[in-house]
């Protein structure tokens, strides 16, 4: 085998472990593991040669390279047998310039990476294809793994259930009762997972799944398992490839358990090591005020890891008070000259609705990222000429109740500035005509307001 990847301790303890071994933490210090790559071996190809290979594979149906994750197979999990890969050609998500929104908030070069336009409607597919493929390989090697299990705020369980079902492996998901959207709840149910709704929050579910997976026949699929990170890191690699291998100035994303930002940073660092890029973007981690441990840690200069009791928030997928990947994310924020900022319920809901008014359909977490972008532009941290990428983490269609209640203006702590309730009328032509004229006036004013005006 030309290329090689293995687990090692993230904190630098000696020791190498196979990625097909059932191991989640360093046996010496108890810290998280990470997947290491033989970068010297990867350098047997020049940066230009790698770029050409990845361009040739993009958008094909060639197994497994048609996937936006497995296109980068040598950089993700080089030695997995193609027959054991479980993929639904995830990734390959659109990155588009959000003209009207960008003009409105004062950063015309604003781009949105719709990583939620994926199989199960969130970026979690990127990591789950790698983890479930590794499990498939372990089972093929004779490892006695009976099931895969994860605690979830809704999107991890949807991805796990789908990929496990595609592989024919039983899945067990632990959900905080009443704290995921109905759309998210029905996904693992439909895919035949064992769905356990626990009377606790995500952090409580995480404690339970860690106990349950001490039994090595039940494999842990949460992002403390660094196989997930290897898949998720392809989002930043794909962004750079979509810009013809150019690096934006900023990448902003909503964070909860801190796995995704760690992954995004790891992907960029690999590109730099391979000589494909020579600068790094600045990263912004966006949190909700109601679950802001990373923001508080950042404000204290990362002198200590802050944990909080996360409060209910519209951004339910990031209602996490004890982020598992804290150490990795802290290192990434420092390396990338990063910023951590937070948004209120009112700010995230209105930012999402504002984006929707420009043609998007934004989930509440993406709303957090957009609200933070607006703040950083107003603070003068992000400048008008900067190229900014906002990573949209889930599809808005998974959060219908959020949208419905916003437009009814019945969300707590939210003053819905862009509410657009339907008009109920009798089938009377005169009344209908009069209503259209009145509403057209309002819509025209609203569109005019969204023109470049607000740049501060
Ligand atoms: C999981 C998730 C996040 C947060 O990612 P972390 O890796 O937990 O920081 C953000 N948005 C959505 C929609 C998610 O599903
Ligand atoms: Zn260690």
């Amino acid at each position: 085998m030309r290329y090689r990847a293995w687990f090692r301790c993230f904190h630098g303890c000696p020791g190498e472990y196979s990625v097909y071994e059932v191991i989640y933490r360093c046996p010496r210090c108890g810290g998280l593991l990470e997947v290491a790559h033989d970068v010297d071996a990867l350098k047997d190809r020049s940066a230009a040669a790698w770029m050409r290979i990845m361009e040739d594979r993009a958008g094909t149906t060639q197994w497994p390279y048609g996937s936006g994750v497995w296109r980068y197979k040598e950089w993700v999990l080089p030695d997995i047998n193609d027959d054991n890969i479980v993929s639904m050609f995830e990734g390959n998500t659109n990155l588009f310039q959000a003209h009207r929104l960008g003009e409105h908030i004062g950063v015309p070069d604003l781009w949105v990476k719709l990583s939620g336009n994926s199989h199960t409607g969130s970026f979690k597919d990127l990591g789950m294809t790698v983890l479930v493929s590794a499990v498939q390989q372990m089972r093929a090697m004779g490892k006695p793994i009976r099931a895969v299990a994860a605690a979830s705020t809704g999107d991890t369980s949807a991805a796990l259930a789908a990929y496990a079902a595609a592989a024919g492996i039983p899945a067990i998901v632990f959900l905080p009762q009443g704290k995921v959207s109905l759309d998210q709840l029905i996904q693992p149910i439909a895919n035949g997972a064992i769905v356990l709704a626990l009377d606790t929050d995500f952090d409580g579910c995480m404690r339970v799944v860690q106990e349950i997976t001490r039994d090595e026949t039940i494999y842990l699929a949460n992002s403390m398992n660094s196989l997930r990170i290897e898949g998720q890191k392809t989002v930043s690699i794909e962004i750079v490839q979509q810009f013809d291998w150019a690096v934006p100035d900023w990448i902003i994303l909503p964070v909860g358990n801190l796995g995704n930002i760690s992954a995004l940073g790891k992907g960029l660092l690999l590109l730099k090591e391979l000589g494909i890029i020579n600068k790094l973007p600045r990263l912004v981690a966006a949190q909700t005020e109601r679950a802001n441990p990373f923001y508080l840690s950042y404000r204290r200069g990362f002198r200590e890891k802050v944990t909080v009791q996360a409060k209910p928030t519209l951004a339910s997928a990031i209602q996490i008070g004890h982020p598992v990947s804290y150490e990795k994310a802290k290192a990434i924020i420092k390396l990338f000259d990063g910023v951590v900022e937070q948004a209120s319920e009112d700010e995230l809901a209105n930012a999402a609705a504002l984006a929707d008014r420009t043609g998007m359909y934004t989930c509440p977490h993406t709303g957090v990222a957009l609200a933070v972008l607006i703040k950083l532009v107003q603070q003068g941290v992000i400048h008008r000429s900067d190229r900014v990428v906002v990573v949209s983490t889930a599809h808005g269609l998974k959060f219908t109740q959020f949208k419905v209640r916003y437009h009814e203006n019945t969300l707590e702590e939210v003053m819905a500035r862009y509410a657009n309730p339907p008009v109920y009328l009798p089938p009377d032509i005169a009344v209908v005509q009069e209503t259209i004229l009145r509403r057209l006036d309002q819509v025209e004013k609203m569109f005019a307001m969204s023109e470049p005006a607000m740049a501060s």
Side-chain angles (χ1 to χ4, degrees), residues 95-99 102 105-113 236 238-253 268 279-284 373 376-377 381-391:
L95 171 66
F96 74 101
Q97 190 167 11
H99 277 291
I105 49 193
V107 270
D109 204 3
L110 172 64
W111 295 72
V112 178
K113 173 67 169 166
S236 55
E238 188 169 271
I239 289 170
V240 170
Q241 181 170 0
Q242 284 169 310
F243 282 130
D244 287 326
W245 308 102
V247 178
D249 297 307
W250 296 90
I251 301 180
I252 305 179
L253 72 164
L268 292 163
K279 71 161 206 175
L280 296 175
R282 293 185 69 186
L283 299 185
V284 179
L373 166 63
L376 293 178
V377 172
V381 176
I382 294 181
H383 303 117
R384 187 171 177 83
S385 57
D386 291 347
R387 169 168 287 181
V388 180
V389 176
V390 169
V391 178

Side-chain angles (χ1 to χ4, degrees), residues 8-14 17 25-33:
R8 71 172 171 215
C9 172
F10 177 72
H11 301 278
C13 300
Y17 315 93
R25 286 185 179 277
C26 170
R28 289 168 193 259
C29 74
L32 294 189
L33 302 172

Side-chain angles (χ1 to χ4, degrees), residues 189-226:
I189 292 174
N191 288 135
I194 299 170
V195 178
L196 307 172
L198 305 189
D199 185 12
T200 179
D201 58 6
F202 170 79
D203 297 304
C205 289
M206 196 65 223
R207 280 192 292 276
V208 172
V209 78
Q210 290 191 62
E211 286 304 315
I212 296 296
T213 52
R214 282 167 178 269
D215 170 353
E216 292 201 355
T217 65
I218 303 178
Y219 190 72
L220 177 67
N222 278 99
S223 61
M224 64 177 276
N225 184 327
S226 42

Side-chain angles (χ1 to χ4, degrees), residues 82-110:
D82 284 355
D83 295 338
N84 291 327
I85 289 178
V86 182
S87 169
M88 287 180 273
F89 281 16
E90 49 291 313
N92 292 310
T93 54
N94 41 330
L95 171 66
F96 74 101
Q97 190 167 11
H99 277 291
R100 284 189 60 233
L101 183 64
E103 287 287 357
H104 184 61
I105 49 193
V107 270
D109 204 3
L110 172 64

Side-chain angles (χ1 to χ4, degrees), residues 109-402:
D109 204 3
L110 172 64
W111 295 72
V112 178
K113 173 67 169 166
L114 286 176
S115 68
N117 281 8
S118 186
H119 181 62
T120 69
S122 86
F123 74 82
K124 299 293 201 293
D125 293 349
L126 303 177
M128 215 48 91
T129 180
V130 173
L131 183 134
V132 174
S133 299
V135 170
Q136 189 81 314
Q137 177 119 342
M138 291 186 229
R139 280 162 61 110
M141 291 160 68
K143 291 253 156 89
I145 296 178
R146 289 187 68 190
V148 279
S152 178
T153 52
D155 289 329
T156 296
S157 42
L160 176 63
Y163 283 84
I169 302 171
I172 309 165
V173 303
F174 299 80
L175 297 171
Q177 226 174 79
K179 295 186 178 73
V180 308
S181 78
L182 185 62
D183 319 77
Q184 291 172 317
L185 174 62
I186 200 66
Q187 286 183 290
I189 292 174
N191 288 135
I194 299 170
V195 178
L196 307 172
L198 305 189
D199 185 12
T200 179
D201 58 6
F202 170 79
D203 297 304
C205 289
M206 196 65 223
R207 280 192 292 276
V208 172
V209 78
Q210 290 191 62
E211 286 304 315
I212 296 296
T213 52
R214 282 167 178 269
D215 170 353
E216 292 201 355
T217 65
I218 303 178
Y219 190 72
L220 177 67
N222 278 99
S223 61
M224 64 177 276
N225 184 327
S226 42
L227 288 172
R228 287 261 312 276
I229 305 298
E230 284 312 284
Q232 287 175 203
K233 81 181 184 190
T234 61
V235 73
S236 55
I237 300 176
E238 188 169 271
I239 289 170
V240 170
Q241 181 170 0
Q242 284 169 310
F243 282 130
D244 287 326
W245 308 102
V247 178
D249 297 307
W250 296 90
I251 301 180
I252 305 179
L253 72 164
V255 302
N257 223 3
L258 302 176
N260 206 32
I261 190 158
S262 309
L264 195 139
K266 191 167 190 273
L268 292 163
L269 291 175
L270 178 65
L271 290 182
K272 192 148 180 280
E273 278 190 284
L274 293 176
I276 292 173
I277 60 175
N278 53 29
K279 71 161 206 175
L280 296 175
R282 293 185 69 186
L283 299 185
V284 179
Q287 289 221 290
T288 141
E289 282 178 6
R290 302 184 62 86
N292 62 352
F294 196 53
Y295 172 76
L296 295 175
S297 302
Y298 168 80
R299 290 305 295 257
R300 290 173 205 179
F302 291 121
R303 280 186 297 280
E304 51 179 339
K305 174 182 175 178
V306 178
T307 60
V308 301
Q309 176 69 47
K311 298 188 203 71
T313 165
L314 295 166
S316 50
I318 53 175
Q319 187 187 330
I320 295 173
H322 296 248
V324 165
S325 294
Y326 170 78
E327 293 293 340
K328 288 184 177 177
K330 178 178 87 176
I332 290 293
I333 286 292
K334 287 184 171 174
L335 264 172
F336 286 75
D337 192 12
V339 174
V340 187
E341 188 46 274
Q342 61 177 359
S344 68
E345 298 293 286
D346 184 74
E347 288 164 340
L348 77 88
N350 281 306
L354 175 68
D356 288 1
R357 286 267 172 127
T358 66
M360 284 181 245
Y361 196 69
T362 313
C363 82
H365 321 89
T366 307
V368 172
L370 290 170
V372 160
L373 166 63
I374 292 169
K375 277 193 180 172
L376 293 178
V377 172
Q378 286 170 350
Q379 291 168 11
V381 176
I382 294 181
H383 303 117
R384 187 171 177 83
S385 57
D386 291 347
R387 169 168 287 181
V388 180
V389 176
V390 169
V391 178
S392 173
T393 45
H395 202 295
L397 284 171
K398 286 184 142 194
F399 301 91
T400 305
Q401 278 310 308
F402 162 67

